[in-house]
Amino acid sequence: MYGTATREGARSRAGLIGLAAGLGAAAAAFAGWRFFRNGKTGHGAAAFAPGEADPQNLDKTRSAGQEAMRDKPKQEWDKVDQAVDESFPASDPPAY
């Protein structure tokens, strides 16, 4: 009789742990879905300024220049930064 009560208590604890893990996984999945859903509709595509990510832009490249970027650079650009940005997605960057 003692062994039966111990097994039932262990099953009960395991069931609660499983339930808690399942609820945690469901909450994480819901939070991830909300994050990615909001990220795609609220801010537009990564690295694109508002209005820059046109649905017709099939190769997903943005126009060159700071004004086409979603997040502005932390430092002022020089001519090398501008030339590198203008060369993307070319295979060879400018030779400065």
Side-chain angles (χ1 to χ4, degrees):
M1 185 136 167
Y2 177 73
T4 305
T6 302
R7 276 189 243 128
E8 287 176 7
R11 279 190 210 146
S12 177
R13 256 181 299 184
L16 289 175
I17 291 171
L19 178 63
L23 289 174
F30 180 72
W33 172 75
R34 293 277 310 226
F35 174 78
F36 286 109
R37 185 192 68 158
N38 289 342
K40 289 181 181 174
T41 59
H43 300 291
F48 288 85
E52 190 71 23
D54 183 18
Q56 301 299 322
N57 186 1
L58 300 177
D59 61 354
K60 303 298 181 216
T61 54
R62 65 168 175 78
S63 302
Q66 297 179 37
E67 59 280 347
M69 297 171 64
R70 185 180 70 185
D71 300 325
K72 300 300 176 202
K74 294 179 182 174
Q75 298 176 352
E76 194 65 34
W77 276 17
D78 59 13
K79 66 179 184 177
V80 175
D81 294 321
Q82 184 67 30
V84 168
D85 191 57
E86 291 172 357
S87 74
F88 185 81
S91 59
D92 296 327
Y96 279 104

